[in-house]
Amino acid sequence: MKQEPIRTGWLSLIVMVVVVCLAVLGVLSLVTARAMLATAQKQADYVQQTYELEMLGQQWLSQVETVCSEASSEEELLAELPEGTRVDGDLLRYVAQNSDERQLSIAVQLEDRQIRVVEWRQVRQWQETENIGQLWKG
């Protein structure tokens, strides 16, 4: 009985293609995971800064409520307002700012020693970049 040799040429080629595909997919998975980690870190930093500003705003609001409830006259109320508070007619305004140049702008209205929030807005100051590359300036 004569044995024929096993031809492994095509089988070897298919195995090598599969190995190369798996290696490429592994590298792509790693790159995607790192990009997602960077994005998640940016999102976490953004949320942390948002909540830091919210905390500053809530602390200021609490101080104003305490002053309004304890003050016996309007002059005493205005004298004991927290630092950074601006009086604008019947509105009290406060701007909290963090290190990322984001601001929380708050305005409350005084009504019979009660306060009502009329503005609570977070904004980030936009800064125009001078060097924008090779763009046409018109």
Side-chain angles (χ1 to χ4, degrees):
M1 180 172 242
K2 187 175 178 186
Q3 265 187 336
E4 288 195 28
I6 300 174
R7 295 184 183 172
T8 60
W10 287 103
L11 183 61
S12 296
L13 185 62
I14 290 173
V15 169
M16 292 201 34
V17 167
V18 168
V19 168
V20 168
C21 288
L22 287 175
V24 168
L25 289 175
V27 169
L28 288 175
S29 295
L30 181 63
V31 169
T32 301
R34 286 187 184 212
M36 290 179 76
L37 176 64
T39 303
Q41 187 62 46
K42 286 180 185 177
Q43 180 68 23
D45 292 343
Y46 180 83
V47 169
Q48 181 179 3
Q49 292 168 1
T50 298
Y51 284 128
E52 284 175 3
L53 281 176
E54 291 290 323
M55 182 186 66
L56 290 173
Q58 290 293 335
Q59 288 174 346
W60 177 82
L61 191 60
S62 174
Q63 291 172 354
V64 169
E65 286 177 339
T66 303
V67 167
C68 285
S69 66
E70 294 176 354
S72 59
S73 67
E74 187 171 329
E75 292 80 23
E76 184 180 343
L77 179 130
L78 294 176
E80 293 184 15
L81 287 174
E83 185 178 333
T85 305
R86 291 183 297 122
V87 179
D88 186 15
D90 63 341
L91 294 177
L92 300 178
R93 294 189 176 274
Y94 179 72
V95 176
Q97 186 168 353
N98 70 359
S99 61
D100 193 33
E101 298 180 5
R102 292 179 55 200
Q103 295 179 340
L104 172 65
S105 176
I106 306 170
V108 296
Q109 187 174 26
L110 295 174
E111 297 173 346
D112 299 327
R113 298 178 59 120
Q114 299 292 323
I115 61 173
R116 182 173 64 95
V117 177
V118 294
E119 178 184 6
W120 191 282
R121 179 177 33 156
Q122 282 198 26
V123 294
R124 181 173 182 172
Q125 296 299 320
W126 181 72
Q127 295 177 352
E128 182 178 0
T129 57
E130 295 294 324
N131 184 7
I132 56 175
Q134 299 285 335
L135 293 178
W136 179 58
K137 296 183 181 178

